[in-house]
Amino acid sequence: LGPSAALDGARGRARLRRGACSGPSAGDAHNRQPTPSNRKTLVNLHLAGLGTAVPPGVLEQSDAAESSPAYCAADARQARMLRMLYRRSGVETRNTVVLRADQGTLQERVPFYPVASGPEDRGPTTGERMAWYEAEAPPLAEEASRRALEDASTSAEDITHLVTVSCTGFFSPGLDAALIETLGLSRTVHRTHVGFMGCHGALNGLRVAASQAWEAEARVLLCAVELCSLHFSYGWDPETMVANALFADGAAAVVGVPTQNGQTSGWSVQAQGTYLMPESSDAMSWRIGDHGFRMTLSAAVPELIRTNLGGWMETWLRDQGLGMDDVGSWAVHPGGPRILEAVEDALALENGILDVSREVLRLHGNMSSPTVLFILQRLRNAGAPLPCVALAFGPGLVVEAMLVG
């Protein structure tokens, strides 16, 4: 199959190298980056409520591994390689809107994806996939949003700003209008949609939420929803098959409440940062095709992270008055096992620091933008030490960071 950017290699290496991040040092190339992206965007947007939701259909990775050759493999050799790819994904179960029954073969339970009729069959058209997105995304977003509102003890009528995030579908009137109707939000709520930014979209959405919440009365609802399973790709293509093995469906929501400067309520946004890695434009892509959206992942992604992340992170943390050893916990988006390993290497993290990220990947797969919010919710509920740094990666190759204190 060739090297893949997201799948697992050998594990078990000790990571006890505190204080020696890999990549360019904080004192050279990274210090010459424009400063606005390194500055604090807002102090004290309190994450007052978090809610998550997944579709009821549970896809066992073992079933997906056995069924995938019917869609993507041309011979027995390719079928064996596909099964190995799925076994090494770090995923055990995923939730998907396309699973419609509990009994029968996986092909029988997923009528949306008929078995390929030949090597030129690429499955449902993009229009057909978008029709499913329009039907399935709003109720999942509503479920996550209701849970966030309940967690924050906030009524829908109190929400002043609404931010929606998604990169897996389009329709208009969109998710924002649907949530206004189903949640009973004010018809004068301020709306912003963050679209097509990829796995770090929720962090971009929180930047928008933070910028809108200066007034004490502001109550911001952010909801990220992705139906990645609608973009299952037919045919033998190593890059898209990695996405087939990893991605899943889910939604997560946040209720953000501003606090006064100098006050801390715990789990509040303290700063955000972003870094576009040099010479990385072809490392990851997300494009609209005739038969769904097409994700490509270069084998170079882990090495780009190892080379670039450590030096930039040291500089960004220093701008916040912190060092690496001051970080209490890490919420790292699990793009795949090799992505998590690259982050561990780049930041010299100890074994176990990213266990929650691996747990979310194992149970839910990569749900794109909501995934980092699933991780933050688990860390918060477990009383993880603060400050916490959230990280996610997306096309560019871009790293988005958020400091929560």
Side-chain angles (χ1 to χ4, degrees):
L1 187 60
S4 74
L7 295 191
D8 201 6
R11 289 208 38 79
R13 295 170 289 172
R15 293 175 177 81
L16 303 172
R17 309 180 304 282
R18 303 295 298 177
C21 291
S22 64
S25 71
D28 40 299
H30 293 283
N31 272 342
R32 296 193 295 272
Q33 299 301 319
T35 57
S37 66
N38 292 326
R39 293 176 182 162
K40 296 180 181 179
T41 57
L42 179 76
V43 175
N44 295 339
L45 176 74
H46 177 49
L47 306 182
L50 286 162
T52 59
V54 293
V58 179
L59 175 64
E60 298 284 344
Q61 190 75 334
S62 56
D63 290 341
E66 290 304 313
S67 298
S68 61
Y71 302 92
C72 301
D75 53 41
R77 174 180 169 274
Q78 290 182 351
R80 288 194 300 272
M81 295 175 75
L82 266 179
R83 294 186 184 104
M84 182 181 298
L85 178 76
Y86 278 70
R87 285 197 300 270
R88 299 169 79 180
S89 66
V91 178
E92 291 182 6
T93 56
R94 290 180 279 173
N95 296 83
T96 170
V97 297
V98 300
L99 200 62
R100 290 308 206 198
D102 296 328
Q103 304 298 323
T105 67
L106 185 57
Q107 289 95 336
E108 292 169 342
R109 290 182 285 149
V110 186
F112 185 66
Y113 288 123
V115 172
S117 60
E120 302 305 315
D121 187 355
R122 292 295 178 262
T125 66
T126 301
E128 291 169 329
R129 298 173 196 238
M130 290 301 93
W132 270 60
Y133 177 90
E134 184 172 353
E136 299 290 343
L140 195 62
E142 178 192 355
E143 183 179 354
S145 297
R146 289 192 183 279
R147 290 175 178 172
L149 288 165
E150 180 180 2
D151 188 46
S153 299
T154 299
S155 67
E157 294 83 1
D158 292 333
I159 296 299
T160 59
H161 297 75
L162 173 64
V163 180
T164 52
V165 179
S166 190
C167 69
T168 50
F170 299 97
F171 66 96
S172 187
L175 287 167
D176 50 358
L179 288 174
I180 288 172
E181 297 290 354
T182 58
L183 294 175
L185 303 179
S186 168
R187 295 187 178 276
T188 61
V189 69
H190 292 236
R191 299 172 295 131
T192 304
H193 181 66
V194 177
F196 220 67
M197 295 200 76
C199 293
H200 56 61
L203 298 185
N204 301 96
L206 281 168
R207 180 178 294 121
V208 173
S211 70
Q212 294 179 339
W214 289 99
E215 296 181 358
E217 297 78 14
R219 298 291 181 268
V220 185
L221 173 63
L222 175 142
C223 184
V225 59
E226 306 289 7
L227 304 185
C228 305
S229 70
L230 293 181
H231 301 290
F232 181 85
S233 180
Y234 286 34
W236 182 258
D237 184 327
E239 290 189 330
T240 60
M241 288 186 297
V242 169
N244 285 350
L246 287 170
F247 281 92
D249 304 342
V254 174
V255 173
V257 178
T259 61
Q260 297 297 317
N261 260 349
Q263 294 181 353
T264 56
S265 302
W267 295 94
S268 298
V269 177
Q270 301 291 316
Q272 290 186 293
T274 183
Y275 180 60
L276 174 63
M277 298 180 189
E279 301 180 10
S280 65
S281 60
D282 59 350
M284 184 185 298
S285 68
W286 185 230
R287 293 186 168 91
I288 299 174
D290 294 333
H291 296 273
F293 301 172
R294 180 181 175 85
M295 164 65 76
T296 61
L297 294 167
S298 165
V301 170
E303 193 56 37
L304 283 165
I305 292 172
R306 287 188 177 92
T307 301
N308 290 280
L309 179 61
W312 176 79
M313 179 56 63
E314 286 183 337
T315 301
W316 180 69
L317 284 174
R318 188 171 64 241
D319 288 344
Q320 320 313 320
L322 299 171
M324 287 289 298
D325 289 334
D326 296 317
V327 178
S329 54
W330 295 83
V332 179
H333 172 82
R338 289 188 63 203
I339 300 298
L340 293 176
E341 287 191 355
V343 171
E344 288 172 326
D345 291 343
L347 303 181
L349 299 181
E350 299 176 4
N351 283 329
I353 294 296
L354 301 186
D355 281 355
V356 174
S357 294
R358 287 191 167 89
E359 179 186 30
V360 170
L361 178 67
R362 178 176 62 84
L363 297 176
H364 298 294
N366 181 344
M367 297 169 284
S368 189
S369 66
T371 313
V372 71
L373 300 180
F374 275 69
I375 297 166
L376 280 170
Q377 182 189 53
R378 287 171 184 252
L379 289 171
R380 186 203 62 171
N381 291 350
L386 296 174
C388 174
V389 172
L391 292 177
F393 304 89
L397 183 71
V398 170
V399 55
E400 293 284 346
M402 182 175 74
L403 179 67
V404 180

